[in-house]
Amino acid sequence: MTIDIRSDTVTRPSPAMRRAIAEAEVGDDVLDGDPTTRALEEKVAALLGKERALFFPSGTMANQCAILTHCERGTELYADFGSHINDWELAGAAALAGAQLRTVHGEGPMMDAQALERGFRPPLTGSPRPSLVCLENTHNGAGGLVTPLAGIKAMHDVARNHGCAIHLDGARLWNASAASGTPLRDFAHHADTVMVSFSKGLGAPIGAALVGSEALMERANENRKRLGGVMRQSGIASAGALYGLEHNLGRLHEDHEKATRFASIVDRAIAASVVPPESNIVMIDLTPGLSAHDVVRRVAEHGVRVGVWTPTRVRAVMHLDVTPAQVEQAAEAVLAGLDDAWRALGDTSEWPVIPKR
């Protein structure tokens, strides 16, 4: 049996979740409202302390809807250089909203308030007007790192000083809350809109939500319709999300513990260094000379699927479908694959070895 830890999106609906989906009460969400979707939206809005939530097929659509809602055409939004909105959404801000994305490079692994402040242009003739700051928590590209509440508030303050709205890509905000002990609503308080995903960590097959004030969500709902995100009997999809929220939110600390154990084993490798995980994502940086594609192929030969993140970085993500015993097995397989790749280089006596963190 192959162990798949490429992402926490590879989970399969449990038998109980499938029953909830099959038995969901549904209605036409466009005409009259779908009762299951409404129940989910009300629950999410309450959890995040916002007036209203909207259900979406995907987090990317919800993020892009937020950008459409906040940004006038020809304005500029700010986001971390390694953010999902910059790296994985196909230049959606430009293609859909007509807004320019200006990336911010922090001195550490991700954007902070000081870097954001430095990123703003002087208000000169010809410079685009800033309209939105996009935050991300946990930060996927940085290895699932958590921005603490004080950091979120500091970036909020910078954004406000420059007249910007704030959107929080909280695809894994569940994990940020579980790891830090900070309530979801406290993180959400410092953003005008927040996106949360149900297919990451919570085990649902589909779905995300966008939350905000009633006025913002009224405008967002218009944009959701333009994007094709308003569905008919959407309770079929939202039932899985609702089940995940009610049954899987409280167990996320287990995935974080799995990540810590996995990292401790893999970090024994000669030719790699593991980024110490703060949540459920483990990034493995390879020594010069090794290829992430080659390492992933070799690990697959040992029965484990991990993902290529960059040419020199491999990603593994713990989730509810991988048991503690499988975590141990997967870690040993990654260790073996790394050793295979290292030995395949031949005489490595002159090769630099990446220092351990």
Side-chain angles (χ1 to χ4, degrees):
M1 174 184 171
T2 299
I3 300 171
D4 193 342
I5 49 174
R6 289 172 297 164
S7 176
D8 46 3
T9 62
V10 302
T11 56
R12 307 294 177 88
S14 66
M17 183 182 285
R18 288 178 183 270
R19 283 195 298 274
I21 292 170
E23 297 169 3
E25 182 184 1
V26 298
D28 191 318
D29 202 29
V30 179
L31 299 180
D32 309 307
D34 181 284
T36 302
T37 298
R38 290 294 176 268
L40 172 67
E41 290 173 339
E42 290 170 6
K43 188 174 185 69
V44 173
L47 276 172
L48 275 75
K50 299 295 187 184
E51 292 178 353
R52 185 178 174 189
L54 297 174
F55 181 62
F56 283 79
S58 73
T60 294
M61 182 184 282
N63 276 341
Q64 291 303 316
C65 183
I67 291 170
L68 278 165
T69 300
H70 289 298
C71 298
E72 294 179 29
R73 299 186 70 83
T75 62
E76 192 164 59
L77 63 144
Y78 290 67
D80 182 82
F81 177 76
S83 66
H84 192 280
I85 282 174
N86 182 47
D87 280 350
W88 300 103
E89 299 189 11
L90 292 171
L96 301 173
Q100 179 167 286
L101 202 159
R102 182 170 173 86
T103 57
V104 177
H105 298 253
E107 293 185 4
M110 53 193 180
M111 181 174 75
D112 57 19
Q114 291 75 25
L116 178 60
E117 180 63 55
R118 290 194 303 270
F120 276 95
R121 302 174 189 270
L124 301 174
T125 301
S127 295
R129 176 167 53 86
S131 57
L132 179 66
V133 169
C134 295
L135 311 179
E136 185 175 333
N137 208 12
T138 63
H139 194 295
N140 185 9
L145 298 186
V146 178
T147 300
L149 185 61
I152 294 290
K153 182 183 184 303
M155 287 188 283
H156 161 276
D157 292 347
V158 170
R160 285 288 192 259
N161 288 339
H162 289 274
C164 289
I166 301 103
H167 171 65
L168 173 57
D169 177 350
R172 293 186 177 89
L173 193 64
W174 324 114
N175 297 91
S177 178
S180 65
T182 302
L184 292 161
R185 63 172 49 232
D186 288 0
F187 281 127
H189 177 72
H190 298 289
D192 298 292
T193 53
V194 183
M195 184 277 284
V196 288
S197 173
F198 306 111
S199 61
K200 296 182 175 71
L202 302 186
I206 189 173
L210 183 69
V211 301
S213 68
E214 186 68 42
L216 277 173
M217 291 303 97
E218 191 61 34
R219 286 163 48 194
N221 194 39
E222 294 179 1
N223 289 319
R224 182 175 66 155
K225 289 181 179 179
R226 290 190 182 97
L227 294 175
V230 178
M231 298 171 282
R232 299 293 180 174
Q233 287 72 38
S234 55
I236 295 295
S238 61
L242 187 59
Y243 181 93
L245 199 58
E246 292 175 344
H247 293 88
N248 295 331
L249 183 59
R251 56 153 304 280
L252 288 176
H253 66 280
E254 298 174 14
D255 294 340
H256 300 179
E257 291 164 4
K258 294 172 189 174
T260 298
R261 177 57 181 155
F262 177 90
S264 70
I265 297 172
V266 174
D267 205 38
R268 302 201 311 256
I270 296 172
S273 178
V274 176
V275 178
E278 293 184 358
S279 57
N280 65 324
I281 298 174
V282 181
M283 293 294 194
I284 306 164
D285 289 323
L286 307 179
T287 195
L290 293 188
S291 157
H293 288 279
D294 180 56
V295 168
V296 166
R297 178 183 62 80
R298 293 176 185 277
V299 171
E301 292 173 354
H302 291 273
V304 174
R305 302 188 73 182
V306 292
V308 172
W309 191 254
T310 72
T312 59
R313 174 173 273 197
V314 171
R315 186 182 79 154
V317 186
M318 302 301 117
H319 52 76
L320 62 86
D321 280 1
V322 58
T323 67
Q326 289 174 324
V327 169
E328 302 268 342
Q329 182 182 343
E332 294 292 347
V334 171
L335 194 60
L338 286 165
D339 288 346
D340 291 346
W342 179 245
R343 286 193 296 270
L345 294 177
D347 181 6
T348 57
S349 59
E350 300 301 322
W351 286 85
V353 176
I354 192 167
K356 300 292 184 182
R357 289 180 171 82

